[in-house]
């Protein structure tokens, strides 16, 4: 693909976005002469807290349209034949009256029992405003609370509950929603305490209002079941577990075939038509035990944990059968349908910037139930390729770099350890994961690096919101092979640190720990904070062994194990985010992502793979991966001439790393259209700021070291906007990001979009000077070969950036 094609592609994408905005010139163009479009709803005479909620009681067909939803309907839904966007909210007097009545009932339910609501419609230029005016009157309050409960045990339970949790208290505002909430909450209390038969209809409220005093006396009535003197308390008896085949549809013929029933213990019987599971896979996560009282929370916990095993397609609530005797016992039946055992998923991501383009393609094969223990085997393959735009000094127009990864992991839904911790419990399913990964990184004309990592990891939950991941042992072997010509050239120019970084062979062991808070909230629109902190420590065990055994040192004075130098380091990283809901599906997210890696002991540099890099679809989105930093480092500092051009070309994507990382992101997300060709179309605007830095001053990266006094000067800023196509099971993302402040330049020149925004889609003096300073050689026609400056970066991806 040529650079000019990518240029035209970018213009096409932006043109499409502009068309969607431009079509908003007339939102009433399809209305008939006697029709008007509802564009505004105004609530008057009502307290602010209720006025905002009252809008929701206006009939859905009289709610003002989202402009883009309406334009999509006009564009794509000819004569209403297609369900794209939303039809116009045409004024309907009968629906306005219905809305008025609903609003009046709503405000009366909030304690203003004498409230009245009137409606007015104002029409101008075929656009209608609905005005609802309330006369609230006095607010009624609860005065006296009483109850009539025939069952003494239920009465005691209610008194305990009401004092602790009830929404209804003397002096509080009369609110029918509070009464309904009390009924629902006490229903759950009963269901947690063995009252399997309890029904909401047994609980009612009588209230007597004194209009002149604006007070209400409440009596709570809980009746006994018909023909009974009390509510029965039930206990759990036997449990039958039935696992169907994955293609079960309710009437499969195989159900008539005989199958063995396993009596697991005094409670559980197990029938497996699929023949794929051992009994303990299910029984370990059944929390209703024989002899215990019925508890709806334990029932919910059972279905939730069985679903979280990720091997079952359908885990409905258990069914219960009352024993015919008078013992009030329940036999439980659990019917489960498994997922297909084998699955395969393909994922992809595309990058475009400054004529360079590339892709990231992955494939994941999954076996969801190996060894009949709900253990999940995954085999992953990933290939990343970045093509040159003609700037490479080695292979102009060819592949710049490639990375191939293949790995396998086996995750058991339990902790496999001699130590007794993290038993299956109410907060989540613990896992033990054995993994092995191999990667090959290749940059033509420079280096080929191979790495092999194998590890054991324990994942478990402290609470519903807090999780831990512990990797007690991780073994890593990596080896780099530098191209002979590149090796000689780097050494002759004093670039030994790069030779050492990318060319050395390292064997090391390490341990990792990760702590997460609120990961289970990430797909919600609540207000919450997310935290992820990780610590990676390597080489200390090998250091102790080498010193104890007094192993040999290499030519650099580093101790070796099995003939290879081992690395010692500590690396820490934090991902902290604040999610703030702005109502509906609007959300603001702020994220800060710092990290630091420190080599010590047997190492004076981090392993190549342990360094931080900036750029990419989930980071600094206006830059390609590995093209930002460190600090104020400018690749033009290699100098001019054939040798500098060649080194600059060889080290592309390898010389921009750091031991310190600090990135901050701010993103506003909002919904654009409910139905856009089968997806929910959402938008985002964002700003990214940050960089990577070297821990100490390095001759190879002038200006790249971290200094507090120079933090702002060395910080990059990108801005952008994007579309998210939410298909429910995944989100397809398109982001357009623009470099706003680029720290490789000096002074005011860093503000590239302000100073040189006129060259956004054309080449001028700024871009020509940049290409000359970053030359990687001369083309056969005498033109300069080198990177052109790309202001805009298009990112295609699956899932949200964070």
């Amino acid at each position: 693909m040529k650079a000019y094609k990518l240029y035209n592609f970018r213009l096409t994408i932006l043109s499409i976005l502009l068309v969607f905005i431009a079509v908003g010139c007339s939102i009433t163009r399809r209305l008939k002469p006697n029709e008007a479009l509802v564009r505004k709803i105004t609530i008057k005479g009502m307290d602010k807290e209720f006025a905002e909620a009252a809008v929701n009681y206006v009939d859905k067909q009289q709610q003002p349209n989202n402009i883009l939803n309406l334009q999509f309907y006009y564009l794509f839904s000819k004569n209403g034949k297609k369900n794209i966007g939303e039809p116009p909210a045409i004024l309907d007097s009968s629906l306005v009256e219905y809305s008025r009545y609903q609003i009046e009932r709503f405000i009366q339910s909030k304690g203003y029992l004498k409230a009245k609501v009137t409606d007015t419609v104002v029409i101008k230029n075929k656009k209608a405003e609905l005005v609802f005016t309330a006369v609230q009157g006095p607010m009624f309050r609860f005065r006296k609370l009483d109850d009539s409960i025939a069952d003494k045990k239920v009465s005691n339970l209610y008194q305990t509950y009401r004092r602790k949790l009830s929404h209804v208290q003397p002096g509080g505002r009369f609110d029918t929603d509070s009464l309904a909430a009390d009924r629902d909450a006490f229903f759950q209390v009963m269901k947690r305490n063995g009252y399997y038969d309890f029904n909401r209809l047994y609980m009612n409220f009588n209230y007597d209002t004194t209009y002149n005093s604006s007070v209400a006396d409440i009596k709570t009535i809980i009746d006994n079941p018909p023909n009974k003197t009390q509510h029965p308390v039930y206990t759990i008896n036997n449990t039958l577990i039935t696992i169907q085949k994955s293609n079960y549809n309710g009437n499969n013929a195989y159900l008539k075939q005989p199958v063995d029933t396993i009596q697991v213990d005094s409670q559980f019987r197990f029938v497996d038509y699929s023949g794929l599971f051992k009994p303990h896979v299910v029984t370990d996560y059944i929390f209703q035990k024989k002899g215990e009282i019925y508890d709806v929370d334990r029932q919910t916990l059972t279905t939730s944990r069985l679903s979280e095993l990720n091997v079952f397609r359908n885990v409905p609530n258990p069914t219960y059968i009352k024993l015919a005797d008078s013992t009030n016992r329940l036999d439980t039946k659990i019917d489960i349908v498994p997922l297909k055992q084998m699955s395969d998923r393909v994922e992809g991501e595309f990058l475009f910037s400054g004529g360079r383009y590339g892709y990231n393609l992955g494939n994941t094969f999954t076996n969801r139930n190996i060894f009949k223990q709900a253990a999940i085997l995954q085999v992953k393959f990933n290939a990343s390729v970045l093509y040159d735009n003609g700037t490479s000094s080695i292979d102009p127009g060819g592949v710049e770099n490639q990375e191939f990864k293949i790995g396998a992991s086996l995750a058991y839904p339990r902790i496999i350890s001699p130590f007794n911790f993290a038993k299956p419990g109410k907060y989540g399913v613990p896992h033990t994961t054995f993994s092995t990964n191999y990667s090959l990184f290749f940059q033509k004309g420079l280096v080929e690096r191979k790495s092999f990592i194998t590890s054991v990891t324990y994942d478990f939950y402290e609470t519903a919101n807090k999780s831990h991941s512990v990797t007690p042992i991780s073994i890593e072997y990596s080896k780099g092979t530098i191209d002979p010509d590149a090796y000689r050239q780097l050494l002759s120019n004093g670039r030994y640190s790069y030779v050492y970084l990318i060319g050395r062979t390292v064997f090391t062991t390490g341990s990792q720990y990760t702590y997460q808070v609120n990961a289970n909230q990430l797909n919600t629109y609540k207000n919450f904070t997310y935290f992820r902190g990780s610590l990676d420590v390597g080489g200390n065990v090998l250091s102790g062994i080498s010193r104890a055994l007094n192993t040999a040192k290499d030519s650099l004075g580093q101790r070796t194990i099995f003939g290879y130098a081992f690395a010692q380091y500590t690396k820490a990283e934090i991902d902290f985010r604040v999610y703030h809901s702005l109502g509906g599906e609007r959300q603001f997210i702020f994220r800060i992502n710092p990290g630091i890696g420190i080599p010590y002991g047997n190492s004076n540099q981090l392993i190549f793979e342990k360094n931080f890099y900036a750029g990419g679809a989930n980071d600094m989105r206006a830059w390609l991966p590995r093209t930002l930093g460190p600090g104020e480092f400018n690749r033009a500092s290699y100098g001019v001439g054939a040798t500098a051009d060649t080194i600059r070309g060889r080290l592309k994507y390898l010389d921009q790393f750091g031991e310190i990382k600090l990135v901050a992101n701010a993103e506003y997300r909002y919904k654009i259209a409910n139905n856009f060709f089968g997806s929910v179309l959402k938008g985002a605007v964002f700003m990214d700021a940050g960089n990577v830095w070297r821990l100490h001053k390095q001759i190879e990266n002038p200006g790249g070291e971290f200094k507090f006094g120079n933090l702002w000067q060395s910080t990059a800023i990108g801005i952008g906007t994007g579309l998210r196509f939410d298909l429910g099971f995944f989100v397809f993302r398109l982001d357009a990001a623009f470099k706003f402040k680029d720290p490789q330049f000096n002074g005011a020149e860093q503000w590239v979009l302000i100073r040189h925004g006129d060259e956004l889609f054309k080449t001028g003096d700024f871009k020509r000077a940049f290409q000359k300073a970053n030359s990687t050689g001369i083309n056969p026609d005498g033109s300069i070969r080198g990177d052109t400056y790309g202001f805009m970066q298009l990112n295609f991806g699956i899932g949200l950036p964070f």
Side-chain angles (χ1 to χ4, degrees):
M1 187 181 294
K2 299 295 184 182
Y4 72 87
K5 291 183 179 179
L6 293 174
Y7 171 81
N8 290 334
F9 180 77
R10 291 199 300 266
L11 287 179
T12 301
I13 294 293
L14 290 179
S15 297
I16 292 173
L17 297 177
L18 291 174
V19 166
F20 284 149
I21 296 174
V23 293
C25 56
S26 176
I27 59 175
T28 61
R29 60 184 183 274
R30 288 200 189 176
L31 299 187
K32 296 177 182 179
N34 61 338
E35 292 180 334
L37 184 70
V38 178
R39 291 304 302 144
K40 187 178 181 181
I41 297 173
T42 301
I43 307 293
K44 294 182 177 181
M46 196 178 296
D47 292 349
K48 184 178 179 181
E49 62 175 312
F50 301 130
E52 293 177 354
V55 174
N56 297 321
Y57 288 84
V58 176
D59 188 85
K60 185 177 180 181
Q61 296 182 43
Q62 299 297 283
Q63 295 280 355
N65 295 101
N66 175 290
I67 292 179
L68 284 177
N69 274 342
L70 181 59
Q71 295 297 354
F72 286 139
Y73 181 85
Y74 285 159
L75 281 172
F76 302 114
S77 300
K78 300 295 184 182
N79 300 318
K81 294 180 180 179
K82 296 181 181 179
N83 186 24
I84 298 174
E86 63 183 30
I90 298 174
L91 179 66
D92 185 326
S93 58
S94 62
L95 293 179
V96 173
E97 167 57 23
Y98 175 74
S99 300
R100 182 206 64 77
Y101 174 70
Q102 291 295 322
I103 293 173
E104 186 173 271
R105 288 190 60 191
F106 162 70
I107 192 61
Q108 288 174 352
S109 74
K110 293 301 177 182
Y112 298 94
L113 300 182
K114 297 181 180 180
K116 298 295 180 181
V117 176
T118 59
D119 64 80
T120 306
V121 179
V122 180
I123 301 176
K124 185 177 181 181
N125 297 327
K126 306 194 74 173
K127 298 176 183 178
E129 178 186 2
L130 308 184
V131 181
F132 297 95
T133 304
V135 179
Q136 290 186 159
M139 181 178 71
F140 282 66
R141 296 184 178 275
F142 294 117
R143 182 176 63 178
K144 182 181 178 182
L145 306 180
D146 199 2
D147 60 70
S148 175
I149 304 173
D151 188 325
K152 186 176 181 180
K153 290 182 179 179
V154 174
S155 178
N156 291 337
L157 191 62
Y158 174 75
Q159 296 301 332
T160 300
Y161 157 77
R162 196 187 70 77
R163 286 193 295 269
K164 293 181 179 180
L165 303 175
S166 177
H167 298 82
V168 178
Q169 300 295 341
R173 175 172 50 82
F174 177 88
D175 189 341
T176 58
D177 287 342
S178 295
L179 295 174
D182 269 23
R183 177 191 286 116
D184 291 340
F186 189 68
F187 171 78
Q188 293 298 322
V189 170
M190 295 289 283
K191 290 290 187 177
R192 294 187 196 106
N193 285 273
Y195 294 94
Y196 168 75
D197 268 342
F198 188 78
N199 192 296
R200 288 181 177 85
L201 296 178
Y202 290 136
M203 184 173 180
N204 294 285
F205 301 98
N206 288 342
Y207 54 90
D208 180 23
T209 57
T210 303
Y211 262 42
N212 292 333
S213 302
S214 300
V215 294
D217 295 334
I218 304 296
K219 175 176 279 190
T220 302
I221 302 172
I222 301 179
D223 296 321
N224 282 334
N227 304 319
K228 291 186 178 181
T229 59
Q230 62 182 9
H231 289 266
V233 176
Y234 288 86
T235 58
I236 299 298
N237 190 44
N238 296 324
T239 302
L240 173 63
I241 303 163
T242 303
I243 299 181
Q244 313 292 350
K245 290 186 177 181
S246 61
N247 61 348
Y248 174 71
N249 59 14
N251 57 0
N252 293 68
Y254 69 78
L255 294 178
K256 300 178 181 179
Q257 301 174 1
V259 63
D260 291 336
T261 299
I262 300 173
Q263 186 73 43
V264 180
D265 55 26
S266 63
Q267 176 182 356
F268 297 109
R269 288 184 299 146
F270 184 77
V271 180
D272 183 6
Y273 287 100
S274 72
L276 297 176
F277 296 89
K278 293 183 177 180
H280 76 85
V281 170
V282 179
T283 59
D284 283 353
Y285 288 97
I286 295 179
F287 297 95
Q288 296 190 117
K289 302 300 183 181
K290 189 170 185 175
E292 296 179 349
I293 65 170
Y294 166 81
D295 184 344
V296 70
D297 284 352
R298 290 183 176 272
Q299 169 189 295
T300 302
L301 189 61
T302 296
T303 56
S304 297
R305 296 299 168 259
L306 289 175
S307 297
E308 288 172 14
L309 290 174
N310 201 27
V311 295
F312 299 118
R313 171 166 58 91
N314 187 22
V315 185
N317 285 327
T319 57
Y320 299 94
I321 301 172
K322 301 175 188 175
L323 269 65
D325 56 27
S326 60
T327 58
N328 294 333
R329 290 179 295 168
L330 298 172
D331 280 343
T332 308
K333 186 177 180 181
I334 300 176
D335 291 312
I336 308 173
V337 180
L339 288 164
K340 289 183 178 180
Q341 187 174 1
M342 310 290 186
S343 67
D344 197 70
R345 184 180 74 249
V346 177
E347 295 178 337
E349 183 178 76
F350 296 89
L351 300 172
F352 298 87
S353 179
R356 293 191 297 267
Y357 65 99
Y359 65 83
N360 185 357
L361 185 64
N363 185 83
T364 302
F365 166 79
T366 302
N367 182 328
R368 286 190 176 85
N369 183 30
I370 200 168
F371 307 134
K372 295 187 176 183
Q373 298 191 50
I376 297 178
L377 172 68
Q378 285 194 326
V379 179
K380 296 183 178 182
F381 170 80
N382 181 273
S384 300
V385 178
L386 188 64
Y387 292 92
D388 180 67
N389 59 352
T391 65
S392 172
S393 58
I394 307 300
D395 183 21
V399 174
E400 284 199 62
N401 61 55
Q402 305 172 71
E403 187 169 15
F404 301 94
K405 298 179 181 179
I406 187 168
S409 65
L410 180 61
Y412 284 87
R414 61 190 60 85
I415 298 298
I416 302 175
S417 167
F419 305 104
N420 187 20
F421 72 99
K423 292 182 178 179
K426 63 180 180 179
Y427 296 124
V429 177
H431 285 90
T432 301
T433 303
F434 303 92
S435 65
T436 298
N437 296 280
Y438 171 81
S439 69
L440 170 65
F441 176 83
F442 175 76
Q443 183 152 324
K444 191 168 184 178
L446 180 62
V447 69
E448 176 185 280
R449 279 194 64 81
K450 303 174 183 178
S451 67
F452 174 85
I453 302 174
T454 187
S455 63
V456 179
T457 300
Y458 299 114
D459 298 297
F460 56 95
Y461 292 85
E462 177 186 344
T463 69
N465 297 324
K466 299 177 181 179
S467 65
H468 303 265
S469 179
V470 180
T471 302
I473 181 66
S474 174
I475 302 172
E476 180 173 352
Y477 173 82
S478 59
K479 180 180 181 180
T481 303
I482 300 178
D483 178 86
D485 291 338
Y487 183 82
R488 287 190 293 269
Q489 189 175 53
L490 290 172
L491 286 183
S492 65
N493 284 271
R495 304 287 175 177
Y496 181 77
S497 62
Y498 286 127
V499 173
Y500 179 67
L501 175 69
I502 64 178
R504 64 175 171 166
T505 299
V506 178
F507 172 77
T508 193
T509 61
S511 301
Q512 292 93 38
Y513 170 72
T514 299
Y515 174 62
Q516 283 193 97
V517 179
N518 286 333
N520 59 336
Q521 305 291 328
L522 290 177
N523 293 322
T524 71
Y525 289 94
K526 299 178 181 178
N527 294 323
F528 66 96
T529 58
Y530 167 83
F531 175 85
R532 183 180 187 273
S534 61
L535 179 66
D536 183 357
V537 179
N540 292 339
V541 173
L542 293 181
S543 176
I545 294 174
S546 69
R547 290 181 182 277
L549 300 178
N550 195 26
T551 60
K553 296 182 179 181
D554 62 13
S555 59
L556 298 177
Q558 295 179 316
R559 291 188 178 274
T560 61
I561 293 287
F562 306 124
Y564 298 110
F566 59 87
Q568 264 186 286
Y569 64 88
T570 295
K571 181 180 178 181
E573 186 173 4
I574 290 173
D575 185 347
F576 179 77
R577 312 174 199 170
V578 177
Y579 289 78
H580 182 67
S581 175
L582 300 173
E585 296 185 37
R586 296 180 300 126
Q587 193 176 39
F588 175 79
I589 304 98
F590 174 76
R591 174 199 191 203
I592 186 165
N593 180 206
I596 184 170
I598 302 175
Y600 59 90
N602 209 47
S603 299
N604 55 21
Q605 273 190 325
L606 287 178
I607 304 173
F608 176 75
E609 290 79 11
K610 297 293 182 181
N611 283 290
F612 292 107
Y613 300 89
N618 303 319
D619 196 290
M620 297 293 297
R621 286 166 276 188
W623 281 263
L624 277 170
R626 303 174 184 259
T627 64
L628 174 61
E632 297 178 74
F633 172 63
N634 189 324
R635 302 189 80 243
S637 64
Y638 285 117
V640 296
T643 299
D645 291 351
T646 303
I647 293 177
R648 191 162 28 240
R650 289 189 189 277
L651 294 178
K652 185 186 292 186
Y653 305 115
L654 292 177
D655 57 358
Q656 295 185 266
F657 64 89
E659 297 89 352
I660 297 174
K661 172 187 178 181
L662 180 59
V663 172
N665 312 90
E667 181 165 301
Y668 170 64
R669 298 171 185 168
Y670 55 94
K671 185 169 70 174
I672 298 175
N674 288 316
N675 189 344
F676 182 71
F677 295 98
S679 70
V680 178
L681 181 60
K682 300 177 181 180
V685 292
F686 55 83
M687 174 181 289
D688 306 322
N691 207 334
V692 294
W693 291 265
R694 300 304 303 271
L695 189 60
H696 305 292
K697 187 174 183 179
Q698 303 288 340
I699 189 173
E700 298 87 358
N701 298 122
E705 70 276 12
F706 181 83
K707 294 184 293 185
F708 280 106
N710 203 35
L711 182 61
W712 171 248
Q713 186 72 11
S714 57
T715 295
I717 299 176
I719 58 174
T721 186
L723 298 174
R724 285 90 167 93
F725 303 86
D726 188 349
L727 298 174
F729 50 92
F730 75 90
V731 176
F732 174 72
R733 173 165 51 99
L734 167 63
D735 285 335
F738 300 86
K739 296 180 178 69
F740 191 72
K741 178 179 180 289
D742 194 336
Q744 68 175 306
F745 303 114
N746 296 321
E749 287 295 310
Q750 290 190 344
W751 302 95
V752 289
L753 198 59
I754 297 175
R755 301 278 292 186
H756 306 291
D758 58 326
E759 296 187 33
L760 185 61
F761 297 116
K762 69 177 183 178
T763 299
D765 293 341
F766 172 73
K767 286 187 176 181
R768 280 189 288 268
F770 180 85
Q771 185 175 28
K772 183 178 179 180
N774 288 271
S775 169
T776 57
I778 303 297
N779 291 314
D781 62 2
S783 61
I784 295 174
R785 182 192 306 139
D787 290 328
T788 56
Y789 193 82
F791 285 92
M792 186 176 76
Q793 168 81 21
L794 284 179
N795 297 307
F796 298 83
I798 303 296
L800 296 174
F802 47 82

